[in-house]
Amino acid sequence: MGGAFVAAAVLARLGGRIGLPTIPLFILAGILLGPHTPGVVLVSDPHDLEMLSALGLVLLLFYLGLEFHIDDLKAGGRNMALAGGIYLALNVGAGLGFGFALGWGVSEALVLAGVLGFSSSAIVTKILVDTRRLGNPETKPILGIIVVEDVFIALYLAALQPILSGADSLSTALVDGGKAFGFLIALALVARYGTRVVGRLINTPDDEILTISFLGAAVLMAGVSEWFGVADAIGAFMVGLMLGSTTSGKRILKLVHPLRDAFGAIFFFVFGLSINPGDLPGVVWPVLIAVALTLSMNVISGITAARIYRFGAQPAANIATTLLARGEFALILATMAAAAGLDARLSPFIAGYVLLLAIMAPLAAKQSDWLARILPGGKSGGAGGDAGASGASVPERVSV
């Protein structure tokens, strides 16, 4: 574990000198020091750091919830649902069509629909933090799309699991889906009406006790969420959403910051440990086609979301590039596909696809102004940095 932290830090320092983002460097450290490459092997089994990796994901999404206030959900719920629904329709639909076009099988196509369809919450969060865009107006639709995705993921997994396991009981899938959806509704109600009570329970002048309290609440709710068939990350996000609106919210945001950075680095390091570069050459062309397809769908989704919110070309480019990365959910699907005995090409395909997009997304997000210049309206107002929203969103950006 110590070697993982040091290796990630060294590579991040070297990359920082030439302007590279940290995410692909942390992943690269995992690849180079994992069991699938020659030389020094720090961790022979990625499962040895599985709990630390899960904690990294939980803290990343908990932090995201702290930044994303209840008022944002209440004010823009309809637009978020519309933008998120369009994003899912385009990307999941493209993934399903791509899966059938490959001809690897129906179950494989359903898996690929999820792999190509859902963004990485962890990488999206890290990109927003690294590019300092958490206060940008277009961050609201980005986070809204992530929330819609996480809700849909719970239902998607509930429906996919019986298919992969060979179960023919529709009732089982419906029960699992209903349990997950009911739990999400309960979390939403607590976030909407129970913030004052939660604030009284969490509030304490002692930073040590406050840290233990919010960390315990985030991790516990993540575990409970998983038991109900909901992604652990969405449980942590909802806890952050509740606590961010309390009187202790600003203190929690400050206290969780170093924990988020440290364990987030481990998450991406473990992500790299699971990738075997030797398996990638046989699936190069499908990976490149899938990456091109995802890039196209994200650009269309970014333009559509920007129009829903009446933003300009630059915010559209920011939305498209920030949501580009695929990650933890794709790896979960790869594990499920391997356990179900599906086509052996799925695992290396998913690894190559996720790795390439994990590298591309942070780089593209930092240089999104290049994309903005070629989008509709980009020549007149898209190349102006992170500004570019129109109407009432500009004062909000300035006030932040």
Side-chain angles (χ1 to χ4, degrees):
M1 176 181 164
F5 274 120
V6 171
V10 169
L11 276 178
R13 282 174 175 265
L14 293 175
R17 293 187 176 184
I18 57 176
L20 290 177
T22 57
I23 294 172
L25 294 171
F26 292 152
I27 295 173
L28 179 62
I31 294 174
L32 294 177
L33 299 173
H36 305 299
T37 52
V40 177
V41 177
L42 279 182
V43 185
S44 57
D45 185 358
H47 293 292
D48 290 344
L49 297 181
E50 188 173 13
M51 183 58 70
L52 292 175
S53 173
L55 184 57
L57 178 60
V58 164
L59 289 172
L60 281 167
L61 270 294
F62 174 71
Y63 181 86
L64 190 63
L66 290 170
E67 289 280 3
F68 194 64
H69 299 295
I70 294 288
D71 291 339
D72 296 330
L73 281 176
K74 290 190 291 186
R78 182 178 179 181
N79 285 342
M80 287 178 191
L82 182 58
I86 291 172
Y87 186 90
L88 285 173
L90 287 171
N91 285 273
V92 174
L96 186 63
F98 175 75
F100 281 122
L102 283 178
W104 291 355
V106 174
S107 295
E108 286 79 359
L110 292 172
V111 170
L112 288 171
V115 171
L116 272 66
F118 303 117
S119 304
S120 167
S121 301
I123 297 179
V124 168
T125 306
K126 192 70 167 62
I127 289 174
L128 290 172
V129 172
D130 289 349
T131 56
R132 299 181 180 179
R133 291 178 184 162
L134 282 171
N136 281 27
E138 73 272 7
T139 298
K140 286 185 180 180
I142 289 172
L143 301 186
I145 290 171
I146 290 296
V147 171
V148 173
E149 281 187 337
D150 283 339
V151 172
F152 187 79
I153 282 171
L155 303 177
Y156 175 83
L157 282 178
L160 184 64
Q161 183 61 52
I163 296 173
L164 295 186
S165 62
D168 54 2
S169 174
L170 179 61
S171 61
T172 302
L174 291 175
V175 168
D176 290 342
K179 184 174 70 171
F181 189 71
F183 179 69
L184 288 170
I185 293 296
L187 283 180
L189 290 174
V190 173
R192 173 66 180 86
Y193 299 107
T195 303
R196 186 172 299 177
V197 175
V198 171
R200 290 174 181 171
L201 291 173
I202 200 76
N203 187 40
T204 172
D206 190 300
D207 283 351
E208 179 185 8
I209 297 176
L210 182 61
T211 301
I212 297 300
S213 299
F214 75 69
L215 186 61
V219 176
L220 177 63
M221 189 55 65
V224 173
S225 298
E226 204 167 48
W227 186 77
F228 274 97
V230 177
D232 52 2
I234 192 64
F237 174 86
M238 294 301 290
V239 172
L241 195 66
M242 297 173 203
L243 298 185
S245 300
T246 66
T247 55
S248 304
K250 290 184 178 179
R251 288 174 58 210
I252 294 173
L253 195 66
K254 182 178 179 180
L255 290 169
V256 78
H257 199 278
L259 293 171
R260 179 210 69 191
D261 287 344
F263 289 97
I266 291 297
F267 171 82
F268 295 113
F269 180 86
V270 175
F271 184 33
L273 291 175
S274 64
I275 296 174
N276 185 354
D279 293 336
L280 302 181
V283 291
V284 167
W285 287 111
V287 166
L288 293 178
I289 294 170
V291 167
L293 183 62
T294 300
L295 181 58
S296 301
M297 292 300 104
N298 271 257
V299 170
I300 296 172
S301 302
I303 294 172
T304 305
R307 289 185 176 177
I308 291 172
Y309 282 83
R310 299 181 180 179
F311 291 158
Q314 184 62 54
N318 289 348
I319 294 170
T321 53
T322 303
L323 290 168
L324 184 61
R326 281 11 183 197
E328 60 278 2
F329 182 67
L331 298 181
I332 291 172
L333 287 176
T335 302
M336 291 173 61
L342 301 186
D343 196 299
R345 291 169 290 186
L346 267 180
S347 291
F349 167 84
I350 293 173
Y353 170 76
V354 168
L355 176 61
L356 192 53
L357 285 180
I359 294 171
M360 284 179 59
L363 296 172
K366 289 187 70 175
Q367 303 296 329
S368 60
D369 57 313
W370 289 93
L371 175 60
R373 292 174 189 172
I374 62 174
L375 293 182
K379 291 183 179 179
S380 59
D386 286 330
S390 60
S393 297
V394 174
E396 178 185 0
R397 174 74 175 102
V398 174
S399 67
V400 171

